[in-house]
Amino acid sequence: MVSSRTKTNKSQQLIYVIQKHESSHLHYDLRLELDGSLKSWALPKLPPLRTGERRLAIKVEDHPLGYETFEGIIPAGQYGAGRVEIWDKGFYQLLDKRANKLEILISGEKLKGIYSLIQFQGKNKEDKNLWLFFKNKDQKKIVRVKGENY
Ligand SMILES: [Mn+2]
């Protein structure tokens, strides 16, 4: 029997992708579907695979839905010129959303589990784009989440 709850849960599977981008500086673009577009952060270092690895994530402009499948070369002279390839992809569920914090359950091929994105509390305007991205120490919540939704 397929409950309505199951259907609801499936619709909550949102797009998750990380694109490796070899522009002037190699970085990884984390993109999450939210409110009809792809919220985007640029990670200067390899995305965190394990708890304890904390990564700077610089908020960049939203990208349109559909961009998550893009791979190829952005031509020289254009913004972000260089090779783009999909480094990881899948879906995520939004567990908690606040003004300066997102808690998400990522179901990717490389990244799996509960992750957080937390905005720095800086005084300068430029600081507003600085976020921290990491895998939560407490992964037990998954059991509860799955228990509720599956
Ligand atoms: Mn990029």
Side-chain angles (χ1 to χ4, degrees):
M1 192 186 99
V2 179
S3 70
S4 60
R5 183 163 233 189
T6 306
K7 282 177 193 163
T8 304
N9 179 58
K10 277 190 176 163
S11 71
Q12 287 172 345
Q13 286 201 333
L14 300 163
I15 295 164
Y16 148 79
V17 72
I18 295 178
Q19 286 156 319
K20 183 180 177 183
H21 187 179
E22 294 175 67
S23 62
S24 51
H25 295 282
L26 170 66
H27 62 274
Y28 298 83
D29 289 307
L30 166 66
R31 306 195 196 279
L32 301 173
E33 175 188 5
L34 199 61
D35 301 331
S37 63
L38 296 171
K39 303 294 170 195
S40 302
W41 290 261
L43 281 61
K45 291 188 178 174
L46 199 70
L49 294 165
R50 290 169 215 85
T51 58
E53 298 175 350
R54 298 164 89 79
R55 295 286 184 263
L56 179 66
I58 302 159
K59 190 84 168 65
V60 294
E61 65 185 29
D62 294 358
H63 277 54
L65 287 174
Y67 194 78
E68 70 276 5
T69 60
F70 177 75
E71 286 190 296
I73 310 273
I74 298 173
Q78 285 190 25
Y79 182 76
R83 181 185 299 276
V84 175
E85 60 186 56
I86 294 169
W87 184 82
D88 194 23
K89 64 177 177 178
F91 295 92
Y92 83 96
Q93 272 181 268
L94 197 53
L95 303 181
D96 194 18
K97 180 177 181 273
R98 298 175 197 201
N100 54 6
K101 186 185 173 185
L102 290 178
E103 197 173 51
I104 58 179
L105 171 56
I106 297 178
S107 307
E109 289 161 18
K110 290 178 177 152
L111 270 58
K112 298 171 197 288
I114 299 177
Y115 281 75
S116 289
L117 274 157
I118 297 179
Q119 190 177 23
F120 277 68
Q121 297 297 307
K123 285 177 186 159
N124 303 319
K125 244 187 178 178
E126 307 84 67
D127 294 344
K128 296 230 187 298
N129 291 327
L130 302 182
W131 293 62
L132 207 56
F133 180 49
F134 59 91
K135 186 170 186 176
N136 288 19
K137 260 185 193 163
D138 181 9
Q139 293 289 318
K140 287 185 196 128
K141 207 183 261 181
I142 287 179
V143 175
R144 183 173 65 76
V145 170
K146 288 201 168 171
E148 278 178 8
N149 295 306
Y150 291 85

